[in-house]
Amino acid sequence: MKEAKMYYESDADLNLLNGKTIAILGYGSQGHAHALNLRDSGVRVIVAQREGGANYKKAVEDGWKPVSVAEAVKQADWVHILLPDEVQKKVWDEDVLPNIKKNAILSFSHGFNIRYKRISPNADLDVIMIAPKGPGHLVRSQYEEGKGVPCLIAVEQNASGKAKELALAYAKGIGGTRGGVLETTFTEETETDLFGEQAVLCGGLVELINSGFETLVAAGYQPEIAYFECCHEVKLIVDLIFQGGIGRMNYSISDTAEYGEYVTGKRIITDETRKEMKAVLADIQSGKFADNWIKENETGRPNFKKSREEIANRLIENVGARLRSKMSWAKK
């Protein structure tokens, strides 16, 4: 398999952002990091954030004078949308489309609304993606330390002929080229991101943790012991994998644990599990998941709210909260 090309500091020209005003729509986790990093890189930034909430207060505390989305878009040469997926279409229709400049740049950090054609940008716009592979607080802290969180970039429309170079310049402005930038497409980023969240990182992992916990408790073991074995230690294992891959993790654990991995892992993740993963991916590729998520929002999120409440009431959550409250060393 051909190794993917990575782009670093020398591959990006921050000067391409000179003279441009970038509007950051939304001052949440990613929004605050992008805005602050770009500002510290010498880029002219304007922040759009709805007045009244915690994010508005945070923006003011950080030295911004937040304005409405419509006003920010009118002033901007570049509009970067960092609002929740489910509200982007409404904001696009009502505030961005009527106000965006001709030949402006439109960018995202997730391809959902472009991939599923909820937003159809004008043909004169460059449409690009700059997606850090880490949460906003890490994007900010790594930048402040002179480091950077790796990023993905993608080009959906190249009206100017310089869309890729502009994406790399933005990535450099937020510190991404320090960590490395990988080129993808809106489709690839969206589909792999949703699949990873659902099958592994969130859906799969949460159910694996809770199922292991419940199995031990049902067998008569103390819930506190079950929590430590099936939840608390997940971070320790993931940190080892993050630092040096699965091989590093296997090197660091006991040979007994490693042998258990080899003889038991495929009893848990079976051919049936893999078949279901393919079905999950098919729902993402066909747009079925996206349609269901939009309908869920349009009907007041009944299933979402019910599931959130059910998880909050699980025994593992109550036991974990009690144990973590005593872990003063872990509260950072």
Side-chain angles (χ1 to χ4, degrees):
M1 183 179 293
K2 184 179 178 181
E3 185 176 337
K5 177 176 173 55
M6 297 291 289
Y7 297 89
Y8 295 96
E9 291 281 82
S10 62
D11 298 310
D13 184 5
L14 194 60
N15 291 324
L16 290 174
L17 305 185
N18 288 347
K20 287 182 168 50
T21 297
I22 298 181
I24 300 295
L25 308 190
Y27 203 71
S29 174
Q30 287 291 335
H32 92 280
H34 288 232
L36 292 171
N37 290 5
L38 287 169
R39 182 172 70 181
D40 288 351
S41 293
V43 180
R44 189 186 307 148
V45 177
I46 184 169
V47 168
Q49 177 59 48
R50 188 161 43 92
E51 190 170 356
N55 289 342
Y56 184 91
K57 181 180 178 182
K58 177 77 166 62
V60 172
E61 290 173 351
D62 288 343
W64 303 101
K65 295 180 179 178
V67 298
S68 68
V69 169
E71 183 57 35
V73 173
K74 287 177 184 177
Q75 296 182 33
D77 308 295
W78 184 321
V79 176
H80 192 74
I81 300 180
L82 285 168
L83 300 165
D85 292 331
E86 65 273 15
V87 305
Q88 285 188 19
K89 175 176 167 50
K90 184 175 188 296
V91 173
W92 166 261
D93 290 342
E94 297 179 1
D95 298 309
V96 179
L97 182 58
N99 296 298
I100 195 166
K101 293 178 181 178
K102 188 173 179 60
N103 303 126
I105 301 155
L106 176 68
S107 58
F108 302 81
S109 284
H110 180 41
F112 186 96
N113 280 276
I114 296 295
R115 164 64 180 84
Y116 297 114
K117 303 187 186 308
R118 292 177 51 76
I119 291 175
S120 298
N122 305 346
D124 61 283
L125 304 176
D126 279 347
V127 181
I128 59 180
M129 181 195 304
I130 309 93
K133 299 314 294 176
H137 72 270
L138 193 62
V139 174
R140 179 57 180 162
S141 65
Q142 289 288 287
Y143 179 94
E144 290 179 305
E145 293 175 15
K147 304 172 185 175
V149 171
C151 288
L152 302 180
I153 61 165
V155 175
E156 184 73 10
Q157 286 185 186
N158 187 14
S160 70
K162 295 183 177 180
K164 179 177 176 179
E165 290 80 2
L166 289 164
L168 283 168
Y170 186 110
K172 186 170 186 174
I174 62 172
T177 48
R178 300 172 184 173
V181 174
L182 178 65
E183 188 173 10
T184 182
T185 65
F186 272 69
T187 294
E188 184 177 55
E189 185 277 336
T190 302
E191 293 176 359
T192 56
D193 185 76
L194 293 176
F195 177 81
E197 291 169 349
Q198 294 172 33
V200 181
L201 304 175
C202 303
L205 182 59
V206 167
E207 288 308 308
L208 182 65
I209 289 169
N210 191 60
S211 295
F213 173 85
E214 289 183 343
T215 298
L216 288 178
V217 172
Y221 298 101
Q222 297 178 70
E224 293 81 3
I225 296 294
Y227 176 83
F228 279 124
E229 296 301 335
C230 296
C231 185
H232 176 80
E233 291 194 33
V234 169
K235 175 176 168 30
L236 311 179
I237 295 298
V238 169
D239 282 349
L240 290 170
I241 295 173
F242 178 83
Q243 291 162 9
I246 294 170
R248 166 69 182 272
M249 183 271 289
N250 283 338
Y251 172 80
S252 301
I253 62 178
S254 71
D255 287 353
T256 305
E258 185 177 356
Y259 177 70
E261 170 193 334
Y262 300 149
V263 299
T264 304
K266 290 182 180 178
R267 294 176 62 186
I268 305 301
I269 306 301
T270 64
D271 288 342
E272 191 64 29
T273 309
R274 291 183 177 83
K275 180 180 177 182
E276 198 60 40
M277 283 185 172
K278 290 180 180 177
V280 168
L281 181 57
D283 285 348
I284 291 168
Q285 293 170 326
S286 69
K288 181 179 178 180
F289 168 78
D291 290 342
N292 289 343
W293 175 227
I294 297 307
K295 289 175 185 175
E296 180 74 12
N297 281 278
E298 291 173 346
T299 56
R301 296 187 170 191
N303 298 310
F304 182 93
K305 292 174 181 176
K306 180 181 178 183
S307 297
R308 178 179 279 179
E309 183 178 356
E310 287 176 350
I311 284 183
N313 291 325
R314 284 178 175 177
L315 178 60
I316 191 172
E317 285 292 271
N318 296 321
V319 172
R322 176 163 48 79
L323 290 173
R324 290 191 302 273
S325 70
K326 308 298 183 182
M327 300 178 191
S328 58
W329 49 269
K331 291 182 180 178
K332 180 180 178 182

